[in-house]
Amino acid sequence: PPVYLNVLAMTALRPSLPLGLAYIASTLRQAGHDVSVIDAVGLAPDQVTPGPRPQISALGLTPEEIVERIDADTDAIGVTNMWSFSWPIVREILQLIRERFPDLPIVCGGEHFAGLPDWSMQQAPIDFIVLGEGEEGAAEVFQGIQDGRTDWSACAGIWFRD
């Protein structure tokens, strides 16, 4: 997702590369899945959109631009969110994804989701949350989606909508 920046703060530095997302993508590719990554900041590092307050701006692609880039042939969608302060824009992305792809599974991971799984699922149309270090859990969830798995109760380290 894009990130919020406080343009008036001394800490308004550019964000780091999404290394965790790269790990998950690599793990899924090694497991035989076709993976495309949309890095909102990496694809639009100089695009700044005014945020909810005058001093807050969003850096990167807008939620609409992100959803437009999702391939129509996608079988499942993963979304990461490291910071809870980004939750409003991530929630907007999730809602737009669900509007465009009403039947596709949405899998989420990252520190925000791991710390607030119940609340996140109440607030957004999420089907799965992978908790903690996501490589193994993500591989199991995406393989289960591909295989048509319906019983997720034995899948450790995830939250799922039942």
Side-chain angles (χ1 to χ4, degrees), residues 75-92:
D75 295 320
I77 298 171
V79 176
T80 186
N81 184 20
M82 296 304 292
W83 302 285
S84 290
F85 67 80
S86 295
W87 177 238
I89 201 163
V90 173
R91 183 179 54 219
E92 181 182 352

Side-chain angles (χ1 to χ4, degrees), residues 67 92-103 106 125:
V67 175
E92 181 182 352
I93 293 165
L94 292 166
Q95 290 165 343
L96 290 172
I97 290 170
R98 181 59 75 213
E99 287 173 18
R100 180 167 176 216
F101 301 98
D103 299 322
I106 298 175

Side-chain angles (χ1 to χ4, degrees), residues 5 7 22 32 52 57 60 65 87 90 98-99 102 104 106-107 116 122 125 129-130 134 149 152 157 159:
L5 298 176
V7 295
S57 296
E65 291 170 329
W87 177 238
V90 173
R98 181 59 75 213
E99 287 173 18
L104 288 187
I106 298 175
V107 182
L116 299 165
Q122 290 173 16
I129 294 177
V130 177
R149 182 176 185 169
W152 295 93
W159 279 61

Side-chain angles (χ1 to χ4, degrees), residues 10-162:
M10 292 183 68
T11 59
L13 305 174
R14 299 290 182 184
S16 61
L17 297 172
L19 190 57
L21 180 60
Y23 288 150
I24 300 300
S26 175
T27 298
L28 293 174
R29 284 184 180 125
Q30 288 175 4
H33 301 284
D34 292 327
V35 177
S36 297
V37 175
I38 301 170
D39 176 0
V41 177
L43 291 170
D46 296 319
Q47 181 173 312
V48 178
T49 305
R53 296 196 173 111
Q55 74 272 21
I56 304 293
S57 296
L59 177 67
L61 297 172
T62 66
E64 294 82 8
E65 291 170 329
I66 292 168
V67 175
E68 287 172 10
R69 288 176 180 251
I70 299 173
D71 191 313
D73 293 332
T74 297
D75 295 320
I77 298 171
V79 176
T80 186
N81 184 20
M82 296 304 292
W83 302 285
S84 290
F85 67 80
S86 295
W87 177 238
I89 201 163
V90 173
R91 183 179 54 219
E92 181 182 352
I93 293 165
L94 292 166
Q95 290 165 343
L96 290 172
I97 290 170
R98 181 59 75 213
E99 287 173 18
R100 180 167 176 216
F101 301 98
D103 299 322
L104 288 187
I106 298 175
V107 182
C108 294
E111 290 180 12
H112 167 82
F113 294 112
L116 299 165
D118 187 46
W119 188 69
S120 298
M121 289 188 92
Q122 290 173 16
Q123 296 281 311
I126 300 166
D127 298 298
F128 301 93
I129 294 177
V130 177
L131 304 174
E133 298 299 322
E135 290 83 354
E136 291 180 17
E140 185 172 357
V141 169
F142 281 96
Q143 188 62 51
I145 291 169
Q146 181 176 327
D147 295 343
R149 182 176 185 169
T150 57
D151 181 7
W152 295 93
S153 60
C155 186
I158 69 162
W159 279 61
F160 59 94
R161 193 170 300 279
D162 186 1

